[in-house]
Amino acid sequence: MNQVENKWIPIMEPSLDGNELKYISNAVKTGWISSQGKYVDEFEAALKEFNNALYALAVSNGTVALHLALVSLGIRKGDEVILPDLTFAASINAILYSGATPVIVDVDSATYNINPKKIKKAISKYTKAIMPVHLYGNPCAMKELISIADKYGLLLIEDSAEAIGSIYGGEKLGSLSDVGTFSFYGNKTITTGEGGALLFKDKEVYQKAKVLRDHGMNPSKRYWHDFVGYNYRITNLQAAVGLAQMERIDDILNRKQFIAEYYQNELSSIEGVNFQVTQSEGSNSYWLVSLTIDRSNRSASELMDFLRKNNVDSRPFFYPLSEMPVYQNYCIQNELIVSKMLSKNGISLPSHIGLKDKHLEFICSKLKEYFNEK
Ligand SMILES: *Cc1c(COP(=O)(O)O)cnc(C)c1O
């Protein structure tokens, strides 16, 4: 066994070797450890600039970013919000927190993202918004989604939790809709430990979200509350890490691009291996390099076991929301077929920038072994 084989290769791990420690030490030394302090403003400015957005707001995590997006856009009980069946539960939970009713729609088998052709049937007179999710970093069909939203007068909220740095039609994901959100959880493309952010097009919506983030307190009249708000603030400590991550985001994205291309070059000719497809207007930032297995004598779960035995981590796709009893009331029955197929056959490969070329070589050799020599 060589050196690579003896050591566990995780699917994701944070890369914190820039100014993270320096900035966080500075926050501690100066006493600015709560949600006031310069790093919050600087982190928001960096997000705004990188995404070419008009307004950016940092919050405590990606789930509250989604909730804040919904409530600051005025979505509430009685409204319906359309979302894809294949996503992390936070997307649908945030809709439920707002009081609105989620309506689950099937996804596309190539991109894994919400299928615009399936949306029309899900629109009712109560529909207020569509929440596309850019799964694993892969851009949704934004042109189609924007045209549906325009035609039916609907709001668009991009759940870009997994997609910072991805591009569609020359613009960064999260900046193409009314509000876009990010997550900076420890395994995401950039991290603040726990954290999230929102991008806005409309100044009033941004200002409303900013007030709601801070208990609904009137910004010019202390302890006077205009709304029932929330405490969704990010700390200066988290923002210190976030700012350092933003300084390195281009390097992080470049390396992730290299990793994705490496896997694709090595493995896409294997019979029954289908990588997630990026549409022509898009560029995937590859939070997780993902593929499905379509071969009668091979399976995703068996492959994951095989990789684990070889010290290589991987992960299954999300369960379709429609399969979980808690969300079953929100499905248009019998129409959620592609999400089930993807969920059963999908696997994501190690995709973090700590992977050296020798790790990529090793992982690919193990995948080839599984598919060809079993
Ligand atoms: C990670 C994630 C979230 C939630 O982010 P947290 O920061 O963990 O709250 C929401 N949606 C999607 C698609 C995610 O992957």
Side-chain angles (χ1 to χ4, degrees):
M1 294 247 278
N2 68 30
Q3 204 190 345
V4 175
E5 283 177 81
N6 285 324
K7 218 169 152 242
W8 178 248
I9 303 175
I11 181 148
M12 278 301 287
E13 65 181 20
S15 159
L16 302 167
D17 45 16
N19 282 322
E20 286 81 359
L21 191 57
K22 181 176 156 199
Y23 293 166
I24 221 169
S25 311
N26 183 54
V28 171
K29 281 183 198 146
T30 57
W32 294 100
I33 60 166
S34 198
S35 52
Q36 291 184 29
K38 67 172 187 170
Y39 290 124
V40 177
D41 294 337
E42 289 180 20
F43 181 41
E44 287 175 347
L47 287 167
K48 190 167 101 94
E49 193 196 322
F50 175 77
N51 292 295
N52 197 18
L54 289 172
Y55 307 97
L57 199 65
V59 293
S60 13
N61 61 62
T63 307
V64 304
L66 285 168
H67 182 222
L68 196 57
L70 291 156
V71 294
S72 53
L73 287 166
I75 287 161
R76 58 199 167 100
K77 195 167 180 221
D79 297 338
E80 290 179 359
V81 179
I82 293 169
L83 84 163
D85 196 21
L86 197 63
T87 181
F88 183 52
S91 317
I92 191 167
N93 289 344
I95 297 170
L96 290 165
Y97 304 160
S98 78
T101 304
V103 178
I104 300 172
V105 165
D106 206 359
V107 296
D108 176 80
S109 60
T111 65
Y112 313 168
N113 287 327
I114 194 163
N115 187 340
K117 295 196 190 86
K118 300 280 172 74
I119 289 178
K120 219 168 148 183
K121 267 179 85 175
I123 294 175
S124 79
K125 62 177 177 180
Y126 303 110
T127 310
K128 279 281 153 59
I130 307 170
M131 181 192 281
V133 181
H134 307 294
L135 204 72
Y136 305 135
N138 197 32
C140 290
M142 290 310 292
K143 197 166 64 194
E144 288 83 349
L145 294 172
I146 289 167
S147 103
I148 294 169
D150 285 349
K151 184 167 170 199
Y152 294 92
L154 306 176
L155 296 161
L156 266 183
I157 299 159
E158 283 169 272
D159 181 347
S160 323
E162 304 176 354
I164 193 164
S166 294
I167 294 168
Y168 183 94
E171 297 187 62
K172 296 271 167 54
L173 295 190
S175 73
L176 288 119
S177 51
D178 295 287
V179 182
T181 68
F182 298 115
S183 164
F184 307 124
Y185 182 63
N187 69 2
K188 293 280 160 72
T189 297
I190 67 157
T191 185
T192 59
E194 295 276 359
L198 303 89
L199 304 178
F200 304 84
K201 278 195 161 61
D202 185 292
K203 188 174 183 181
E204 274 174 34
V205 179
Y206 160 71
Q207 283 170 335
K208 174 93 187 270
K210 198 170 176 178
V211 166
L212 289 174
R213 177 180 70 169
D214 191 18
H215 302 286
M217 201 192 301
N218 188 311
S220 43
K221 193 168 170 185
R222 219 170 157 200
Y223 304 122
W224 183 267
H225 297 259
D226 296 308
F227 306 99
V228 180
Y230 313 93
N231 177 356
Y232 285 172
R233 296 176 309 233
I234 193 168
T235 67
N236 199 46
L237 292 170
Q238 290 165 295
V241 176
L243 179 66
Q245 293 268 287
M246 285 306 289
E247 290 172 352
R248 305 165 51 225
I249 191 163
D250 289 328
D251 291 341
I252 292 172
L253 293 170
N254 284 339
R255 180 65 188 169
K256 286 177 80 71
Q257 192 74 38
F258 175 88
I259 290 168
E261 280 167 19
Y262 191 100
Y263 282 132
Q264 287 162 359
N265 289 338
E266 289 293 313
L267 306 172
S268 54
S269 62
I270 298 176
E271 188 209 324
V273 167
N274 303 308
F275 281 91
Q276 186 178 25
V277 174
T278 308
Q279 36 194 307
S280 52
E281 303 88 338
S283 160
N284 189 345
S285 59
Y286 294 106
W287 174 49
L288 293 175
V289 181
S290 302
L291 55 92
T292 56
I293 293 161
D294 177 19
R295 197 158 127 183
S296 57
N297 57 347
R298 298 287 188 277
S299 80
S301 60
E302 200 187 50
L303 172 57
M304 279 184 271
D305 288 342
F306 175 81
L307 290 174
R308 195 176 308 117
K309 283 192 193 112
N310 286 286
N311 280 328
V312 177
D313 196 10
S314 60
R315 45 179 256 181
F317 285 9
F318 297 116
Y319 288 106
L321 297 174
S322 59
E323 279 191 355
M324 293 180 262
V326 277
Y327 304 121
Q328 234 141 45
N329 288 342
Y330 312 116
C331 308
I332 303 172
Q333 289 299 332
N334 304 325
E335 298 202 345
L336 302 159
I337 295 157
V338 177
S339 53
K340 288 188 178 65
M341 182 274 288
L342 291 173
S343 175
K344 180 164 169 271
N345 299 320
I347 164 173
S348 302
L349 300 175
S351 305
H352 61 90
I353 67 161
L355 294 168
K356 302 275 181 287
D357 293 4
K358 66 177 180 189
H359 297 119
L360 296 173
E361 258 167 54
F362 176 73
I363 296 165
C364 289
S365 76
K366 286 296 157 192
L367 274 142
K368 286 177 187 164
E369 190 181 319
Y370 173 73
F371 280 100
N372 298 328
E373 283 161 34
K374 212 190 72 164

